C-alpha cells in the first residue's frame, strides 16, 4: 500500500515562536501579508504585537479582525474583498479553528474565483493557492496542519466541508504561550475536539502507520493533560503538552479524515450554533459505544494511551472502560447534552431527517469502523438528544 502523507512545509514549535513570523514570511516571498483574526485577538493585543514585529522587519502588513465564530460564506466574501482591495499576497491566520478556516477558505476563493458551495466535498480541492501561515491560539482544532476547512452555507444552513491540499497551510507556528489566555470553555471544548481527532484517526478505515503513531502520541498527551489545563489554566507545562497533542492529532486526522463523530456533530453545530468541540463531545461516548466492536483493538489501544485502561486489561474490558471514561469526562468537564444546551426537542426532531442527510452527505461517516445506515444515523441522533447510551 502507498500512503499519501501531507503536512505543512514548515512548522515552528515552542514558546515565543510566533515572533519568528517575519523571517518565515520572507522565506515564503510574502511581502504584503494580511493578518486574519477575530476581535478578541485584536483586543488582547496579540494581533498588534505581530503587526509590530512585522513592521520592525520592514514588512507592510495589515489586520482583518472580522472573523466570526462559525465562518460563513458571507464572512469569507468579506475577507476575499479585503484581500483584493489590499492586494495582499499571503494570509496569516491567528486564532482558533474559525480564524484558520476563514483564512484557508479566503485563500482558496481569492485564488480560484469560485463560489464556496462548488468547492465542498465530494470535490477534492488539490490546487495551488496563496500562502497561508497558521498560528493557533487554542490547543484543539489542529487546523494549522490539516487539509480541511468548514464553512457554513447560510442559505442551506449547512456546514460545508472543504477538503484538499488547497486547504493545507504552507506553514504553521505552534506557540503554546498563546493558549494561556484561553477561557475555560474554549480550553475544554477545543481539547475534546483534539481528542476526537486523534481517536477518529486511530480507528479510521483510512488509517496507516503514520496516522496511528501520531494519534497514539496525541492521545497520551491529551489524556495526561486535558483535565490539568481545565483545573489549572496557568500551568505552562500542561498547556505546552496539550498544544503538541492537538498538533499531533491534527496531523493524524489530516492523513485519514474524520469519521462518524464529526459527521453527526457538524449538522448540530450548523442548525443550533453549538461550539464545534462541544458538539463532538456530545456524541463521543455514544459513537464509541456504537463502533466499539468493529475496531476493538484500536479502541482498546486508545483506552490504554489515554490512561483509562491498563496493559493487563483485555481489549473488551479496555473498550468498555473507554466508553465509561468518556461519559465521566463529559460529566467532569460540564459538557451538556443537546437538551441541556437548550435545543428545543420539537425543532430537533423536525430537523432530524435533514441532519441525517447532511451528516451522511459529508462523507465522513463512511470512514468509521461501523458505517451507519440511515435508520442507525437517525437513532444515534435520537439518543444523543438527552445523552442516552444504548446497544445497537
Amino acid at each position: 500500500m502507498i500512503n499519501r502523507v501531507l503536512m505543512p512545509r514548515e512548522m515552528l514549535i515552542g514558546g515565543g515562536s510566533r515572533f519568528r513570523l517575519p523571517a518565515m514570511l520572507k522565506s515564503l516571498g510574502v511581502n504584503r501579508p494580511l493578518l486574519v483574526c477575530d476581535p478578541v485577538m485584536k483586543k488582547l493585543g496579540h494581533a498588534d504585537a505581530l503587526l509590530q514585529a512585522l513592521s520592525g522587519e520592514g514588512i507592510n502588513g495589515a489586520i482583518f479582525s472580522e472573523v466570526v465564530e462559525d465562518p460563513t460564506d458571507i464572512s469569507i466574501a468579506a475577507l476575499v474583498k479585503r484581500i483584493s482591495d489590499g492586494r495582499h499576497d499571503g494570509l496569516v491566520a491567528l486564532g482558533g479553528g474559525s480564524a484558520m478556516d476563514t483564512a484557508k477558505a479566503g485563500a482558496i476563493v481569492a485564488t480560484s474565483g469560485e463560489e464556496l458551495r462548488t468547492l465542498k466535498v465530494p470535490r477534492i480541492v488539490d490546487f495551488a493557492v496563496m500562502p497561508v501561515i497558521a498560528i493557533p491560539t487554542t490547543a484543539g482544532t489542529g487546523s494549522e496542519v490539516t487539509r480541511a476547512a468548514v464553512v457554513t452555507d447560510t442559505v442551506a444552513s449547512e456546514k460545508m466541508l472543504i477538503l484538499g491540499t488547497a486547504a493545507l497551510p504552507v506553514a504553521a507556528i505552534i506557540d503554546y504561550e498563546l493558549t494561556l489566555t484561553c477561557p475555560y470553555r474554549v480550553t475544554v471544548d477545543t481539547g475534546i475536539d483534539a481528542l476526537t481527532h486523534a481517536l477518529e484517526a486511530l480507528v479510521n478505515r483510512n488509517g496507516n502507520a503514520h496516522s496511528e503513531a501520531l494519534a497514539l502520541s496525541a492521545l497520551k498527551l491529551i489524556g495526561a493533560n486535558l483535565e490539568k489545563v481545565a483545573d489549572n489554566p496557568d500551568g505552562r507545562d500542561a498547556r505546552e503538552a496539550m498544544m503538541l497533542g492537538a498538533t499531533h492529532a491534527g496531523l493524524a486526522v489530516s492523513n485519514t479524515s474524520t469519521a462518524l463523530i464529526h459527521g453527526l456533530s457538524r449538522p448540530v453545530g450548523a442548525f443550533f450554533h453549538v461550539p464545534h468541540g462541544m458538539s463532538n463531545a456530545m456524541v463521543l461516548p455514544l459513537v464509541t459505544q456504537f463502533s466499539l466492536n468493529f475496531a476493538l483493538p484500536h479502541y482498546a489501544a486508545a483506552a490504554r494511551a489515554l490512561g483509562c485502561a491498563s496493559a493487563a486489561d483485555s481489549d473488551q474490558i479496555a473498550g468498555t472502560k473507554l466508553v465509561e471514561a468518556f461519559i465521566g469526562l463529559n460529566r467532569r468537564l460540564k459538557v451538556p447534552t443537546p437538551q441541556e444546551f437548550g435545543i428545543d426537542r420539537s425543532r430537533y426532531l423536525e430537523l432530524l431527517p435533514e441532519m441525517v442527510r447532511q451528516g451522511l452527505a459529508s462523507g465522513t461517516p463512511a470512514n468509521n469502523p461501523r458505517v451507519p445506515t440511515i435508520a442507525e444515523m437517525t437513532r444515534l441522533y435520537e439518543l444523543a438528544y438527552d445523552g442516552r447510551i444504548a446497544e445497537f
Side-chain angles (χ1 to χ4, degrees):
M1 179 185 291
I2 296 174
N3 300 129
R4 187 185 188 208
V5 177
L6 299 168
M7 61 183 67
R9 179 193 305 181
E10 181 178 356
M11 289 183 283
L12 292 177
I13 302 173
S17 57
R18 63 192 182 278
F19 295 113
R20 301 276 187 92
L21 176 62
M24 179 175 280
L25 289 170
K26 287 179 180 179
S27 72
L28 295 170
V30 175
N31 299 305
R32 294 182 60 83
L34 181 62
L35 190 61
V36 179
C37 65
D38 63 27
V40 174
M41 286 297 107
K42 184 80 168 64
K43 184 178 179 180
L44 290 172
H46 292 318
D48 287 324
L50 286 180
L51 199 65
Q52 187 174 356
L54 295 180
S55 179
E57 294 294 329
I59 299 174
N60 185 22
I63 296 175
F64 175 89
S65 59
E66 298 162 41
V67 169
V68 297
E69 187 171 340
D70 282 311
T72 68
D73 44 11
I74 295 171
S75 67
I76 301 304
L79 172 59
V80 172
K81 183 177 186 305
R82 182 68 182 278
I83 293 169
S84 176
D85 290 347
R87 292 174 290 127
H88 296 286
D89 59 355
L91 303 179
V92 177
L94 174 70
S98 295
M100 290 185 279
D101 283 2
T102 297
K104 291 179 180 188
I108 293 170
V109 173
T111 302
S112 69
E114 298 184 60
E115 291 188 10
L116 274 169
R117 62 176 54 91
T118 69
L119 299 164
K120 69 180 182 180
V121 167
R123 181 178 174 187
I124 303 299
V125 288
D126 282 352
F127 52 79
V129 298
M130 69 165 55
V132 173
I133 297 91
I135 307 177
T137 59
T138 64
T141 69
S143 190
E144 69 275 8
V145 295
T146 68
R147 58 187 180 102
V150 178
V151 180
T152 298
D153 181 334
T154 53
V155 175
S157 292
E158 177 183 356
K159 282 200 172 187
M160 301 179 289
L161 175 61
I162 299 168
L163 190 66
T165 55
L168 180 67
V170 68
I173 298 177
I174 300 154
D175 187 340
Y176 78 91
E177 291 177 355
L178 289 167
T179 68
L180 293 169
T181 55
C182 273
Y184 175 85
R185 195 71 253 166
V186 173
T187 294
V188 166
D189 292 342
T190 56
I192 298 179
D193 189 25
L195 192 160
T196 62
H197 289 156
L199 182 68
E200 290 199 306
L202 185 63
V203 304
N204 206 286
R205 287 171 174 259
N206 301 315
N208 54 66
H210 175 78
S211 60
E212 181 173 324
L214 286 163
L216 287 170
S217 172
L219 289 167
K220 288 176 184 176
L221 289 163
I222 294 166
N225 292 284
L226 175 55
E227 293 189 76
K228 284 184 182 178
V229 295
D231 294 338
N232 179 23
D234 296 325
R236 297 175 74 90
D237 289 346
R239 287 284 192 185
E240 185 171 19
M242 277 299 298
M243 197 67 155
L244 183 61
T247 298
H248 284 185
L251 287 167
V253 82
S254 186
N255 287 283
T256 61
S257 188
T258 52
L260 181 55
I261 293 169
H262 280 73
L264 282 167
S265 74
R266 284 193 198 98
V268 174
F271 284 112
F272 301 107
H273 308 292
V274 180
H276 175 64
M278 182 183 288
S279 63
N280 279 342
M282 287 174 172
V283 299
L284 173 60
L286 177 62
V287 172
T288 303
Q289 176 67 53
F290 173 79
S291 310
L292 191 62
N293 291 323
F294 287 72
L296 186 57
H298 285 106
Y299 280 110
R304 296 183 187 107
L306 285 167
C308 57
S310 72
D313 290 325
S314 69
D315 284 358
Q316 195 67 58
I317 290 173
T320 300
K321 286 184 175 180
L322 183 64
V323 176
E324 293 170 350
F326 288 155
I327 293 171
L329 183 68
N330 278 0
R331 182 178 63 252
R332 292 190 300 275
L333 298 184
K334 302 178 179 63
V335 175
T337 63
Q339 182 180 45
E340 292 167 343
F341 187 78
I343 295 173
D344 180 74
R345 183 180 182 86
S346 60
R347 178 62 174 158
Y348 185 88
L349 293 176
E350 177 188 350
L351 287 169
L352 203 154
E354 178 60 15
M355 290 196 293
V356 169
R357 186 198 69 77
Q358 288 188 13
L360 291 172
S362 73
T364 59
N367 301 323
N368 204 60
R370 181 179 183 179
V371 180
T373 64
I374 291 175
E376 288 170 335
M377 194 84 162
T378 302
R379 179 62 174 155
L380 286 165
Y381 273 123
E382 290 171 345
L383 292 166
Y385 179 74
D386 51 9
R388 286 171 290 156
I389 304 291
E391 298 289 343
F392 279 81

